[in-house]
Amino acid sequence: MTTTRRAILKSMAAAPVIAAGAGVLAPATAHAATVDAGQFRLTSRSRNSHGEFADLTAGLAAVLPKVDAATVLADTNRNAQRLTSAPGTVEAFQTGFAWESGDNGVDYWVPQGITTSADAYGNGLYPANGNNKALIVSWYFQTNTDTDPEPEYPLDKGIRLSFVDYSNAAAPTYRHVLLVEPVRTGSGAYSFKPVQRHAGGILWYGDLLYVVDTYKGLRVFDLRNFFKVDTAQADVCGLHTDGKYYGYSYQYVLPQSHAYDNAGTYLRYSAIGLDRASSPDSFVISEYSEAGVVDYSGDDYIGTGKGSVTAPKVVRWNLDYTTRQPSSLTASEAVSISQKSIQGVVSRNSKHYLSVSDGRTRKGALRTFNSGAGTATTVCDLAIGCEDLSFHSSSASGWAFPESVIWNLSEYDGTRYVYAVRADGS
């Protein structure tokens, strides 16, 4: 009988790891080390300079139709293309899709973060007691797409989300939604503005969506509070002079509802992932660095401590399942890992998975390491331009795969895929 690659990898998984074949993706000594978790803290913020988020949202609800995420998922308007095999360099492929040609090829919107309804609820379905199998992908607007210092697109439209209905895996559909921050105009009218951030990682937990804000912390959006707006103005966001509300031609906008700002030692909030295997549930933050060290001296970080250079870290905060918010504002675990180009993170207790990119022409990798000590090792190859991760357990009774899988996506125009790989790399 021919020995398959899956069988070989399964037998290797049971054996001790002697060395990692990471190639150019990692430094030769990508060792993990425990870091004092108490130095990493958040502070809860319920308002911005215009008022309480709840009051601003209530003001918008008085003048705009309000809907929820289930309504958006029932109102998709674009068709994805099912992937029947692994795209490009991807190994251990389980399922996936490609965007419509316009979204695959556009250069100014760039996909980054991914989360699924298996993050939102343990059975994989949304909402609670519902039946939607869904994914959310974040995109940031890139004003300058080449080396010319003059931006081709001077209007930064911020972040959009793709709500993907995956209930029929053979024919997924989706709709884009604009993320906004609620504000008031100079005259006191309720309005909103784009969220001009990178959106490198997102996490869907219950009815809340967490979005990383690289130098600041976390922004939170309540998926029960979308607003339906007019679509005629492609370059207008918020209340226009004609008395109508627009969201850069998107039908729905989703306003920010809360924030968790960094209050401890500087930390780069590059990606976020859920750990439902921990007790209690928790989320982990990972840091991106191009060279394998994080330099805090050159950007607008908030928190404490002077600018310094450190190895990238994975930092954990515990979650309250009932409120869907952090149960403590102080981190419960922190580990460093000398790994460059970390684009995404998910954890299963002390085992951490990283997506690691290697430029526009070389394949990415799914890597793993354990807390405390050890060296990161490669699980399988990922797509060129790999980005965020989302763990999807085989125990998700409503939307399960035969084995646990990890979702990933690729960012470069022309070769953009959303796909799941088997978590053991087989």
Side-chain angles (χ1 to χ4, degrees):
M1 182 177 70
T2 302
T3 303
T4 65
R5 179 178 182 276
R6 293 197 70 191
I8 293 171
L9 287 170
K10 282 183 176 294
S11 66
M12 291 174 62
V17 175
I18 298 174
V24 297
L25 288 171
T29 54
H31 294 296
T34 300
V35 178
D36 174 23
Q39 65 184 300
F40 301 105
R41 299 185 303 278
L42 296 165
T43 184
S44 178
R45 177 164 57 87
S46 63
R47 60 179 295 121
N48 61 16
S49 61
H50 297 266
E52 292 286 328
F53 287 122
D55 294 339
L56 297 170
T57 300
L60 290 171
V63 294
L64 289 170
K66 189 174 79 168
V67 303
D68 59 16
T71 301
V72 173
L73 286 166
D75 191 26
T76 54
N77 62 345
R78 302 188 185 211
N79 297 312
Q81 179 182 348
R82 179 190 183 189
L83 294 176
T84 57
S85 60
T89 58
V90 175
E91 298 176 317
F93 175 80
Q94 178 68 43
T95 188
F97 66 89
W99 306 103
E100 281 192 354
S101 58
D103 291 321
N104 186 39
V106 66
D107 60 354
Y108 46 82
W109 282 114
V110 184
Q112 293 289 289
I114 188 168
T115 186
T116 80
S117 51
D119 284 334
Y121 291 103
N123 67 357
L125 302 177
Y126 182 84
N129 303 314
N131 58 9
N132 288 298
K133 302 175 184 177
L135 301 92
I136 306 175
V137 170
S138 64
W139 309 60
Y140 78 95
F141 195 90
Q142 182 172 235
T143 58
N144 194 345
T145 63
D146 57 28
T147 57
D148 191 323
E150 194 67 28
E152 302 99 297
Y153 309 102
L155 179 60
D156 184 349
K157 296 185 177 181
I159 302 170
R160 73 180 185 186
L161 301 176
S162 298
F163 282 78
V164 183
D165 181 358
Y166 210 69
S167 297
N168 179 3
T173 59
Y174 63 100
R175 175 183 281 277
H176 298 314
V177 169
L178 188 72
L179 282 191
V180 298
E181 182 174 352
V183 299
R184 299 188 80 159
T185 67
S187 65
Y190 293 99
S191 187
F192 47 81
K193 65 179 183 179
V195 178
Q196 295 170 335
R197 292 294 185 268
H198 190 70
I202 57 177
L203 169 61
W204 187 0
Y205 193 56
D207 284 311
L208 299 182
L209 181 73
Y210 290 81
V211 179
V212 293
D213 190 333
T214 309
Y215 309 116
K216 309 295 185 184
L218 300 169
R219 294 179 183 239
V220 186
F221 299 81
D222 191 325
L223 300 183
R224 295 165 292 191
N225 292 326
F226 295 77
F227 293 107
K228 192 172 185 178
V229 296
D230 285 275
T231 59
Q233 296 289 341
D235 293 331
V236 176
C237 181
L239 180 60
H240 195 36
T241 53
D242 62 3
K244 297 180 180 180
Y245 289 84
Y246 300 96
Y248 295 138
S249 78
Y250 294 111
Q251 183 77 78
Y252 299 101
V253 299
L254 177 60
Q256 185 175 343
S257 61
H258 202 81
Y260 289 97
D261 299 328
N262 191 62
T265 300
Y266 292 149
L267 184 68
R268 178 175 290 174
Y269 292 78
S270 299
I272 184 171
L274 178 68
D275 186 351
R276 200 181 287 282
S278 64
S279 182
D281 291 352
S282 57
F283 68 82
V284 287
I285 298 292
S286 65
E287 297 186 289
Y288 173 85
S289 67
E290 189 170 347
V293 293
V294 183
D295 184 352
Y296 303 100
S297 61
D299 293 294
D300 190 22
Y301 290 93
I302 63 172
T304 60
K306 61 183 180 180
S308 59
V309 176
T310 71
K313 292 172 289 297
V314 172
V315 182
R316 181 192 305 271
W317 275 267
N318 291 333
L319 285 162
D320 184 329
Y321 181 82
T322 58
T323 65
R324 301 290 171 169
Q325 298 172 0
S327 58
S328 172
L329 297 179
T330 301
S332 59
E333 181 190 20
V335 293
S336 66
I337 178 70
S338 54
Q339 170 68 63
K340 67 180 182 178
S341 302
I342 299 170
Q343 300 284 5
V345 62
V346 289
S347 298
R348 303 289 285 174
N349 287 311
S350 62
K351 185 172 186 177
H352 310 285
Y353 295 88
L354 309 172
S355 56
V356 178
S357 65
D358 195 22
R360 200 176 181 105
T361 60
R362 292 181 292 274
K363 62 189 177 183
L366 179 65
R367 311 202 77 211
T368 188
F369 73 98
N370 293 319
S371 298
T375 301
T377 59
T378 298
V379 178
C380 64
D381 292 339
L382 298 177
I384 295 171
C386 64
E387 285 293 326
D388 199 21
L389 298 175
S390 178
F391 194 94
H392 189 141
S393 174
S394 60
S395 65
S397 57
W399 180 17
F401 294 100
E403 303 173 46
S404 294
V405 300
I406 297 177
W407 288 90
N408 182 238
L409 75 165
S410 51
E411 69 170 338
Y412 295 126
D413 52 287
T415 56
R416 289 175 175 157
Y417 308 104
V418 179
Y419 59 91
V421 298
R422 290 178 289 274
D424 67 357
S426 63

